[in-house]
């Protein structure tokens, strides 16, 4: 039995602005017929799992926190993991094409990473949607989400190497405990090559991505040990390491002590 949540937005007269049609939590993705060919616009927010989206022979990685769009009459195929889930808002209106153009949403730019902070917000809002607030609420969620996309006029600022690097660092600083975080994933999320991301780290910090990431994780590990957490496996997992032995080796290399010894000296 599907646990999908679907809310149909009551009809209203178009005024030339944006008209939302559906606000949906799709948990039964694998039962849907593909390719997707939509008559109106769709904004999707991935809430779990991972997938590959194919559009005109090009593939795009989708994972939790990815915001992606489907444009009218553009066939898209998505191959997802068993736990792949997403939410979407479908919308239309005479002002939509110009708005999306301004936000740099076009056929070759439909996937945007770094929207994890909106997942809980979308879920909270769909659960409180009802017939009385449906129009304002769904349009509000959509417009709030679009507000995080930068207009084309600011593209120079976004592509400036210093701005790009700060954006990458901000993301890592907020997600370093994610065991899936890697140079490859980071490059994919922000649509850059691994080589370019690696170059930015060496240029701006004189260290590589992996060293920067491990420094964050190990600094957090010392805080956990000092606060009384003694299970090596628990510390490793909470810091983003799947292998406790590998974590212990890194920890000892950094501090000079194994985690248990460090606790005895600093606990």
């Amino acid at each position: 039995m599907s646990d999908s949540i679907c809310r149909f937005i009551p009809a209203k007269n178009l005024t030339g602005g944006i008209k939302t049609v559906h606000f949906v939590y799709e948990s039964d993705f694998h039962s849907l017929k593909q390719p997707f060919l939509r008559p109106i616009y769709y904004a999707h927010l991935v809430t779990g799992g991972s997938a590959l989206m194919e559009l005109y022979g090009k593939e795009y990685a989708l994972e939790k926190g990815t915001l992606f769009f489907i444009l009218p009459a553009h066939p898209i195929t998505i191959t997802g993991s068993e736990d792949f889930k997403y939410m979407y808002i479908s919308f239309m209106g005479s002002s939509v094409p110009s708005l999306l153009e301004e936000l740099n949403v076009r056929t070759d730019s439909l996937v945007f990473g770094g929207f994890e902070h909106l997942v809980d917000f979308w879920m909270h809002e769909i659960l409180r949607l009802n017939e009385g607030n449906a129009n304002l609420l769904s349009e509000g969620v959509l417009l709030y989400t679009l507000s995080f996309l930068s207009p084309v006029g600011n593209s120079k600022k976004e592509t400036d190497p210093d701005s790009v690097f700060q954006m990458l660092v901000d993301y890592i600083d907020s997600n370093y405990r994610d065991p899936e975080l890697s140079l490859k994933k980071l490059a994919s999320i922000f649509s850059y090559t691994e080589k370019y991301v690696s170059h930015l780290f060496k240029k701006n910090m004189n260290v590589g991505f992996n060293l920067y990431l491990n420094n964050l994780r190990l600094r957090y590990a010392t805080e956990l040990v000092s606060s009384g957490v003694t299970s090596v496996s628990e510390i490793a997992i909470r810091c983003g390491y799947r292998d406790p032995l590998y974590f212990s080796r890194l920890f000892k290399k950094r501090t000079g002590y194994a985690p248990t010894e460090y606790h005895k000296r600093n606990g």
Side-chain angles (χ1 to χ4, degrees):
M1 181 178 178
S2 170
D3 56 351
S4 298
I5 300 172
C6 179
R7 299 290 188 265
F8 291 88
I9 312 303
K12 67 175 182 180
N13 293 327
L14 296 178
T15 61
I18 292 180
K19 163 70 173 72
T20 49
V21 182
H22 304 93
F23 192 177
V24 176
Y25 170 58
E26 183 57 73
S27 65
D28 199 18
F29 158 77
H30 292 281
S31 68
L32 302 178
K33 184 179 180 181
Q34 297 201 56
F36 298 111
L37 188 62
R38 305 302 194 189
I40 58 177
Y41 297 88
Y42 279 65
H44 303 72
L45 181 63
V46 180
T47 61
S50 60
L52 284 177
M53 182 179 78
E54 182 178 348
L55 172 64
Y56 298 133
K58 292 187 65 176
E59 289 189 337
Y60 303 85
L62 308 176
E63 56 194 352
K64 185 177 180 179
T66 298
L67 178 71
F68 69 97
F69 294 84
I70 293 181
L71 306 182
H74 289 277
I76 284 178
T77 301
I78 299 177
T79 304
S81 61
E82 287 299 319
D83 58 345
F84 180 61
K85 299 178 182 180
Y86 57 80
M87 304 177 71
Y88 69 78
I89 298 175
S90 62
F91 56 105
M92 58 191 294
S94 60
S95 66
V96 171
S98 59
L99 173 61
L100 294 185
E101 179 68 23
E102 181 183 353
L103 296 176
N104 208 28
V105 178
R106 55 181 189 273
T107 305
D108 61 346
S109 179
L110 298 174
V111 179
F112 303 85
F115 285 80
E116 291 90 341
H117 61 292
L118 292 183
V119 171
D120 289 343
F121 168 67
W122 275 50
M123 183 61 72
H124 178 270
E125 294 306 291
I126 197 173
L127 291 176
R128 75 181 190 90
L129 187 147
N130 57 55
E131 186 175 351
N133 66 19
N135 289 317
L136 285 175
L137 186 147
S138 57
E139 290 174 14
V141 172
L142 176 63
L143 292 174
Y144 180 70
T145 300
L146 293 178
S147 72
F148 288 92
L149 296 175
S150 296
V152 174
N154 292 335
S155 59
K156 181 176 180 181
K157 178 180 179 181
E158 287 228 340
T159 55
D160 176 75
D162 292 338
S163 298
V164 170
F165 180 68
Q166 188 58 54
M167 178 176 63
L168 296 174
V169 169
D170 289 344
Y171 182 85
I172 298 169
D173 289 351
S174 299
N175 296 275
Y176 66 87
R177 289 174 287 179
D178 177 5
E180 299 291 339
L181 185 58
S182 65
L183 179 63
K184 181 178 181 180
K185 177 177 179 178
L186 186 66
S188 174
I189 288 173
F190 292 97
S191 299
Y192 295 111
T193 66
E194 294 178 49
K195 183 177 180 180
Y196 180 64
V197 173
S198 180
H199 164 74
L200 289 179
F201 269 88
K202 291 178 181 178
K203 176 185 176 183
N204 288 274
M205 288 194 168
N206 227 15
V207 299
F209 164 82
N210 287 330
L211 181 56
Y212 181 77
L213 177 61
N214 280 325
N215 282 340
L216 288 176
R217 288 174 170 175
L218 293 172
R219 183 176 64 189
Y220 181 54
T222 59
E223 294 175 2
L224 291 176
V225 174
S226 298
S227 67
V229 182
T230 58
S231 169
V232 175
S233 295
E234 180 183 351
I235 297 171
I237 292 173
R238 289 173 64 174
C239 292
Y241 295 104
R242 290 194 178 90
D243 186 347
L245 293 178
Y246 175 67
F247 158 70
S248 293
R249 288 196 297 269
L250 290 179
F251 188 92
K252 186 171 184 178
K253 184 177 180 180
R254 176 185 175 91
T255 66
Y257 304 99
T260 52
E261 296 173 327
Y262 187 90
H263 173 69
K264 292 178 182 178
R265 292 174 175 270
N266 300 278

